[in-house]
Every structure is written in C-alpha cells, then in structure tokens.
Amino acid sequence: MLEVHELQVVYPNGNEALKSISLSAQRGEIIAIIGRSGAGKSTLLRCINGLQRATRGSITLDGEVITRLNETQLRLARRYIGFIWQEYNLVERLSALTNVLTGRLAYNNPLASFVGYFGREHRDIALKSLDRMNMLPRASFRADRLSGGEKQRVAIARAIAQEPKILLADEPVASLDPELSVQVMSDLARVARDVGVLTLINIHDVELAKQYADRLIGVAQGIIVFDGPPAQLDEATMDRIYRFDKDKKKHPAEAPEPHGFGAAQPVLSQ
Ligand SMILES: Nc1ncnc2c1ncn2[C@@H]1O[C@H](COP(=O)(O)OP(=O)(O)O)[C@@H](O)[C@H]1O
Ligand SMILES: [Mg+2]
C-alpha cells in the first residue's frame, strides 16, 4: 500500500532532515511515528502528501509513485490523502458540517462547489463522518464556537469524509490538554480502525503512541532507529530514539552536534 524507499530530504539551507528512510505499510495499519523534536517526523509526512519534495528516493502509494508527480497530479493525488494538523486548519466562520464537506470538494462538481452546493450523497458522507466522531450535535455550529477537542474531531471527520487511502496526522493532540489528548487519540484510532484506513500519526507522547498504535516507528536524526510493535519498545530502544537529548544533558560540552540539531539551531517544525 505505502512504500517509502531510501527517502532523503535536504533543505535548501543544507539541512539533511531525512537521511535514508525506508518503510512499507499496509491498509488498516495504525502507525505512530515517534522521536524528538527535529527528528524529521513532519518532513516525512509532508513528503508523503507531496508538500515537500524528496531530494532522493521514492514514495509509492497504492501503485502511484508520489515522488514523480507534478503539481497538477499531486493536487489530484491529495484527494486520497487525508491530513490532520496540530492546529486543526478549519475555516473558522463556516459550520462544522461545511468544514467537513470541504473534504468532498475534489469529488464534487466544481461549478456546484463554487456556489456552495453539495449533493445528497456528499452531505450523507459528511454527516456520517461527523457522527463517527460523535460530532453530529455540533454539525451546525460555527467552527469558531467549538472547543479545541471538538475542532480536532471535526478536522478528523473532514479527513475521513475524503475516503482517503491514507490518513496522515502531524501531532494531532499536541495542542490539547492531557485528558482531551487521550479522548481525541482514542477517537482517531477508533475511526481509523472502523474504516480500515492506513494511518500514520506523528506524536511525541510515547505513552499515547503505545496505547493506540499497532506499530511504532522511532525516528532519530533523519533515520529509522526502531520499527516494531509497542511491546518491543524497551529502555534500550527508547535510548536510541531519544539518546541525543540524554547525551546532551549528561555532557553538554562533549555532546556531538550533528548537522541540523542543537539548541542554537531554530527548529522550523510544522
Ligand atoms: N523548511 C525548512 N528548512 C530548513 N530546515 C528545516 C525546514 N523544516 C524543517 N527543517 C529542519 O529539518 C529537521 C527535521 O524537522 P521536522 O521534520 O520538522 O522534525 P520533527 O517534525 O520531527 O520535529 C530539523 O532539523 C528542522 O530544523
Ligand atoms: Mg513536527
């Protein structure tokens, strides 16, 4: 379903955010990508939906080589790629339902969309998606009237309404308090399982990752240092994923400063 082969990303400033990432994933899997800030998690997700170009390597999604598509082809491909952002990215002045309907834009007649018309089939899919996230009672609420947790549930409903081949979530609960984080992660995992969509979630909270994902991928300094089920994530593995932090705390003067890391370098994530 998803094949990432020796993916490398070097930013124009020379930052090598991804060194060589290879992974394959199947329909229905729920994968959490963990790693410290600056590890390359966002860069990886942005490459999969084509917002970031790869320097080298390839990404194939359901037989389509994403890394070879031009901008027009990428726009079409993104119809099948659901994306969930940390800051929700809703249109604040529109209702929850209309926000979810934007997930149907690529399927709707462009002229109909232009005048804000979505046919019965699209409305049914949008309402069902809201219902899956227990947000049906909020369908007519303007997005700016919703709480953070509700906004993220609407954003998840919008991504699901796309009927995506893959669902990508970049730190989906990082803006929510701990209790809400658990609820929204649990809802996200449940709906992903219900519809059987391959889901990749960037998340820095390891406990949440272990609780809701079938598989964890640990990224450190642009490479995969762990790929396996949560039960295999032991202390030694945690060290490999987060070791750089620990080294730095223990030996601030001697700690190596690999390219693109270190406190002096601003982290341009998200
Ligand atoms: N647009 C950019 N230009 C240059 N460097 C970037 C850019 N975006 C991210 N980086 C750098 O690439 C590395 C990986 O960043 P990112 O993918 O955001 O990591 P994460 O999501 O794991 O925090 C970091 O060193 C970061 O500073
Ligand atoms: Mg990030």
Side-chain angles (χ1 to χ4, degrees):
M1 178 86 206
L2 174 72
E3 292 287 340
V4 178
H5 183 69
E6 295 180 359
L7 187 72
Q8 185 204 29
V9 171
V10 182
Y11 283 111
N13 67 354
N15 236 348
E16 189 180 20
L18 299 181
K19 294 198 172 76
S20 181
I21 297 277
S22 295
L23 66 97
S24 59
Q26 307 310 319
R27 194 185 134 76
E29 276 191 281
I30 297 181
I31 302 173
I33 301 170
I34 57 174
R36 55 155 286 177
S37 177
K41 305 180 299 294
S42 295
T43 302
L44 175 59
L45 289 202
R46 287 206 306 267
C47 284
I48 297 174
N49 81 348
L51 285 176
Q52 173 62 48
R53 287 284 178 186
T55 307
R56 203 172 58 82
S58 65
I59 297 170
T60 310
L61 177 64
D62 201 22
E64 190 164 44
V65 187
I66 300 283
T67 35
R68 270 199 223 133
L69 303 181
N70 64 31
E71 286 304 319
T72 313
Q73 293 166 324
L74 270 176
R75 263 198 298 279
L76 286 173
R78 278 195 205 109
R79 158 196 300 206
Y80 303 113
I81 303 174
F83 207 98
I84 296 160
W85 285 267
Q86 178 177 342
E87 293 295 341
Y88 331 121
N89 272 12
L90 299 180
V91 184
E92 295 279 322
R93 65 188 168 78
L94 297 180
S95 71
L97 175 60
T98 310
N99 268 284
V100 176
L101 275 169
T102 65
R104 301 298 305 165
L105 271 177
Y107 299 92
N108 200 22
N109 177 317
L111 204 57
S113 294
F114 185 72
V115 296
Y117 177 77
F118 287 85
R120 183 61 186 260
E121 180 208 341
H122 298 301
R123 294 180 71 84
D124 284 352
I125 290 171
L127 288 168
K128 177 132 196 260
S129 301
L130 276 171
D131 194 25
R132 283 184 185 282
M133 295 308 292
N134 300 319
M135 287 298 294
L136 208 46
R138 295 278 187 275
S140 62
F141 279 47
R142 268 173 63 133
D144 55 11
R145 300 272 319 279
L146 302 174
S147 71
E150 290 172 336
K151 282 182 183 171
Q152 195 58 303
R153 286 192 179 90
V154 170
I156 294 167
R158 174 180 59 189
I160 291 294
Q162 277 175 262
E163 300 181 316
K165 290 178 181 172
I166 188 170
L167 197 55
L168 306 172
D170 197 359
E171 301 287 357
V173 297
S175 298
L176 305 174
D177 66 43
E179 200 181 320
L180 263 178
S181 293
V182 175
Q183 291 170 17
V184 172
M185 261 305 280
S186 146
D187 286 346
L188 171 58
R190 175 182 46 74
V191 75
R193 258 181 245 290
D194 282 355
V195 300
V197 63
L198 168 59
T199 303
L200 266 57
I201 307 169
N202 282 351
I203 185 165
H204 64 256
D205 185 325
V206 180
E207 286 312 310
L208 272 184
K210 281 162 77 172
Q211 205 173 340
Y212 293 105
D214 317 315
R215 174 177 163 193
L216 303 184
I217 293 181
V219 179
Q221 301 175 35
I223 58 171
I224 292 179
V225 294
F226 174 79
D227 186 347
Q232 275 175 22
L233 190 73
D234 54 19
E235 274 305 310
T237 313
M238 285 290 284
D239 259 16
R240 262 186 291 145
I241 301 171
Y242 295 101
R243 183 181 48 202
F244 181 64
D245 270 350
K246 289 194 172 178
D247 284 354
K248 219 165 128 187
K249 273 181 205 140
K250 275 186 215 147
H251 319 284
E254 298 139 33
E257 291 282 308
H259 198 62
F261 286 84
Q265 185 114 17
V267 175
L268 309 170
S269 58
Q270 267 107 50

Short mmCIF file of all heavy atoms in Angstrom, two decimals, residues 63 88 174 186 206 257 269:
data_model
loop_
_atom_site.label_atom_id
_atom_site.label_comp_id
_atom_site.label_asym_id
_atom_site.label_seq_id
_atom_site.Cartn_x
_atom_site.Cartn_y
_atom_site.Cartn_z
N GLY A 63 0.40 2.01 -5.62
CA GLY A 63 0.86 1.86 -7.00
C GLY A 63 1.26 3.17 -7.68
O GLY A 63 1.87 3.15 -8.75
N TYR A 88 -5.63 22.16 13.62
CA TYR A 88 -6.95 21.88 13.03
C TYR A 88 -7.16 22.37 11.60
O TYR A 88 -7.75 21.67 10.79
CB TYR A 88 -8.10 22.40 13.92
CG TYR A 88 -7.78 22.45 15.40
CD1 TYR A 88 -7.82 23.63 16.13
CD2 TYR A 88 -7.39 21.27 16.07
CE1 TYR A 88 -7.50 23.65 17.48
CE2 TYR A 88 -7.07 21.30 17.42
CZ TYR A 88 -7.12 22.49 18.12
OH TYR A 88 -6.79 22.51 19.44
N ALA A 174 -1.27 17.62 20.13
CA ALA A 174 -0.25 18.41 20.84
C ALA A 174 -0.81 19.73 21.39
O ALA A 174 -0.23 20.31 22.29
CB ALA A 174 0.95 18.67 19.94
N SER A 186 -7.99 8.43 21.08
CA SER A 186 -8.80 7.22 21.12
C SER A 186 -9.86 7.27 20.01
O SER A 186 -10.09 6.27 19.30
CB SER A 186 -9.42 7.11 22.52
OG SER A 186 -10.68 6.54 22.47
N VAL A 206 4.97 9.30 23.97
CA VAL A 206 5.22 7.87 23.74
C VAL A 206 4.14 6.99 24.35
O VAL A 206 3.74 5.98 23.76
CB VAL A 206 6.61 7.48 24.31
CG1 VAL A 206 6.88 6.01 24.10
CG2 VAL A 206 7.69 8.32 23.67
N GLU A 257 27.24 17.62 17.93
CA GLU A 257 26.18 18.46 17.37
C GLU A 257 25.99 18.09 15.91
O GLU A 257 26.49 18.77 15.02
CB GLU A 257 26.57 19.95 17.47
CG GLU A 257 26.59 20.49 18.89
CD GLU A 257 25.19 20.80 19.42
OE1 GLU A 257 24.45 21.52 18.74
OE2 GLU A 257 24.84 20.30 20.49
N SER A 269 9.80 23.36 12.81
CA SER A 269 8.79 22.31 12.58
C SER A 269 7.43 22.90 12.34
O SER A 269 7.19 24.07 12.63
CB SER A 269 8.78 21.33 13.74
OG SER A 269 8.51 22.00 14.93
#
